[in-house]
Amino acid sequence: MTTRFGSRLLSSRTCFGISVLGLENFGFKAPLWAGFFIHLMKIDSKIYPVYLFYGPENYLIEEEIQKLLDRTLSSKERGLNLHLFNGEEHSGKEIVQTAQTIPMFSRYRFVLVSEADRINEEGMEELLRYTQKPSPTTCFILCAQNLGLWKKHQAEIEKVGKIIEWSRLKGKALVSWVKNRMAAKGKKLSEDAADYLVEVVGDHLNDLDNALEKAFLSVGEKQVTELSDVEGITSEVKISTVFDLMDAIGHQNLEKAIGILEKAMESKIVSFKKDEESSKKMDDPVPLLLNMMAKQYRNIWKVKEMASQQQESAEIARTLRMSPWNVKKLMDQGRHFSESFLREGILKCHQTDLSIKRGRVQKDLLMEKLVIDLCRPKTP
């Protein structure tokens, strides 16, 4: 007696170009030749019947899904065979019924279930039963932020399919991705330029790809994209409050320093990198701003001291666990500050913090006075 799974496959005359009825004539029963087709998907074509993608890096997940979609369905076949579901909004029964349906005029049916970690218990059981006996003519993809309840069924899914975690790229892996991405566009990206983009844009691959596209278009026929090429194209991205405030102070640009301070005080946002996630919005930005200014002075001091001992920037970056671009920026800023002024800057930040806590003078006035004092002429 054939199962519904087998019956559905029998309703098609051929699958993967092989006659189903021909297989039965050779003595293969439905479950056996279904397993044979799953074997073909896994080994020969490298298309698994079930995928579970999870993790925070949506860009890489979407990229992998697109690759699978391009390999399984042509643009003409997608109208009848591409199905998008949401685990929170659709029932497990509806999803499974679609996944078990024979594809129309195509080798595959493509079923994508987003937010699979938010499906209810009943739906979870339906999907789990399906993954134990998946249709060999369906590419079935589950997407989730985390494994959640799927974790205890991981081994079962891996018997017929593939589970991949997509974590955020960090450090050298992220810089390498940026350089490879530019290489795929047909140009070389220098190490300094890659470090800079990672530092100011952040680790969101969508944002980095957009910045790379702008750089690619802006350099014209030039084959190597340098640091100077990418500095301009990120100017519209939000300013890094602490770095730019210290730059203005280092160059004794009082007008610019006061402008940056006022913007931070009014918006109540202090940003450390040029991306949304590393910006902090708070009711009172002053304590954090003071703390970050003092920390910046200390970092400049450390880098300046290590550089005076003839240490290379790469070695300093490894020792302090900073990005090379960050170290380069601190070294540049250090040229505008003497060690005595750095000590004085840390002390003034501390004194201003104590005065604010005593509450005798308005904090806005105290912060303005601090910036004015720090912008006074000094000897490097």
Side-chain angles (χ1 to χ4, degrees):
M1 184 177 193
T2 60
T3 62
R4 184 175 64 171
F5 173 63
S7 300
R8 286 182 181 276
L9 285 175
L10 280 170
S11 66
S12 176
R13 300 293 297 178
T14 62
C15 188
F16 294 98
I18 302 172
S19 169
V20 168
L21 295 178
L23 283 172
E24 290 218 326
N25 288 337
F26 282 101
F28 285 93
K29 298 301 179 184
L32 293 177
W33 53 253
F36 171 71
F37 284 125
I38 288 176
H39 176 74
L40 279 180
M41 291 176 78
K42 290 178 67 174
I43 304 303
D44 296 343
S45 66
K46 301 299 182 185
I47 299 293
Y48 287 77
V50 178
Y51 291 88
L52 173 53
F53 298 148
Y54 72 99
E57 192 43 78
N58 292 329
Y59 185 94
L60 293 178
I61 291 175
E62 289 171 10
E63 193 173 56
E64 188 65 21
I65 290 170
Q66 187 62 51
K67 287 178 185 176
L68 286 170
L69 180 58
D70 291 340
R71 289 172 60 197
T72 51
L73 297 178
S74 69
S75 55
K76 290 180 180 178
E77 293 169 336
R78 292 175 192 182
L80 296 172
N81 297 288
L82 173 60
H83 307 274
L84 307 178
F85 294 100
N86 183 293
E88 195 173 27
E89 297 172 7
H90 297 92
S91 71
K93 186 177 181 180
E94 181 185 359
I95 296 169
V96 169
Q97 282 179 342
T98 302
Q100 289 177 330
T101 303
I102 286 293
M104 294 286 287
F105 309 110
S106 170
R107 271 184 167 188
Y108 295 103
R109 188 169 293 280
F110 193 95
V111 176
L112 174 63
V113 184
S114 61
E115 298 194 70
D117 51 340
R118 304 186 70 173
I119 197 163
N120 60 36
E121 194 173 335
E122 184 182 347
M124 177 88 170
E125 289 175 4
E126 290 268 5
L127 295 187
L128 186 60
R129 278 196 294 273
Y130 172 79
T131 59
Q132 290 167 349
K133 283 187 178 181
S135 166
T137 58
T138 295
C139 182
F140 187 75
I141 303 175
L142 299 163
C143 290
Q145 281 294 304
N146 52 69
L147 277 178
L149 294 173
W150 291 102
K151 189 169 185 177
K152 50 186 181 180
H153 306 294
Q154 194 169 350
E156 297 170 60
I157 295 172
E158 286 177 330
K159 286 179 182 177
V160 294
K162 194 171 185 179
I163 298 177
I164 305 176
E165 179 181 6
W166 300 92
S167 302
R168 287 240 187 261
L169 299 179
K170 300 288 181 185
K172 289 182 180 179
L174 184 58
V175 172
S176 179
W177 183 90
V178 170
K179 292 173 72 177
N180 290 338
R181 196 70 178 176
M182 187 59 118
K185 295 176 187 290
K187 295 188 186 296
K188 184 178 178 181
L189 187 69
S190 73
E191 194 75 27
D192 283 347
D195 285 333
Y196 173 83
L197 285 174
V198 167
E199 186 66 31
V200 300
V201 177
D203 62 359
H204 284 231
L205 300 190
N206 254 320
D207 296 338
L208 283 167
D209 196 37
N210 288 336
L212 288 171
E213 186 63 22
K214 289 178 187 176
F216 176 81
L217 294 172
S218 68
V219 296
E221 298 299 317
K222 190 176 176 184
Q223 289 303 302
V224 180
T225 306
E226 306 287 355
L227 176 60
S228 57
D229 298 317
V230 298
E231 284 179 320
I233 61 101
T234 57
S235 60
E236 75 281 4
V237 185
K238 182 173 18 179
I239 287 174
S240 172
T241 310
V242 179
F243 261 115
D244 285 358
L245 180 56
M246 297 301 286
D247 261 348
I249 291 171
H251 289 90
Q252 299 173 36
N253 189 335
L254 179 60
E255 184 180 354
K256 183 178 179 181
I258 292 294
I260 293 169
L261 175 67
E262 288 177 349
K263 185 176 179 181
M265 300 286 283
E266 287 172 11
S267 65
K268 298 183 178 179
I269 292 176
V270 178
S271 52
F272 313 111
K273 292 181 183 177
K274 300 188 180 184
D275 68 357
E276 293 294 334
E277 220 171 66
S278 51
S279 300
K280 304 293 181 184
K281 186 162 186 175
M282 57 213 76
D283 293 332
D284 183 8
V286 170
L288 181 58
L289 186 56
L290 277 170
N291 181 54
M292 293 306 299
M293 286 175 69
K295 182 179 179 182
Q296 188 77 348
Y297 275 125
R298 287 192 291 271
N299 285 339
I300 293 171
W301 194 350
K302 286 178 190 174
V303 169
K304 190 179 180 75
E305 191 175 50
M306 293 174 77
S308 70
Q309 296 168 2
Q310 307 303 312
Q311 292 190 43
E312 297 291 331
S313 59
E315 186 182 350
I316 296 172
R318 282 194 300 272
T319 303
L320 299 180
R321 295 184 178 180
M322 294 180 181
S323 73
W325 180 85
N326 202 348
V327 169
K328 182 179 180 296
K329 189 73 174 171
L330 290 168
M331 290 175 77
D332 290 341
Q333 289 186 338
R335 296 188 183 100
H336 301 282
F337 297 101
S338 65
E339 287 191 10
S340 62
F341 188 84
L342 291 170
R343 281 195 297 270
E344 186 182 350
I346 295 169
L347 180 60
K348 284 185 178 296
C349 288
H350 179 64
Q351 289 171 340
T352 301
D353 186 43
L354 289 176
S355 298
I356 288 171
K357 286 173 180 174
R358 292 189 187 109
R360 293 174 184 172
V361 184
Q362 286 186 3
K363 62 181 70 176
D364 291 12
L365 295 176
L366 286 170
M367 289 297 295
E368 191 171 312
K369 181 180 183 301
L370 172 65
V371 170
I372 292 170
D373 287 347
L374 294 175
C375 281
R376 77 176 188 274
K378 52 198 171 294
T379 304

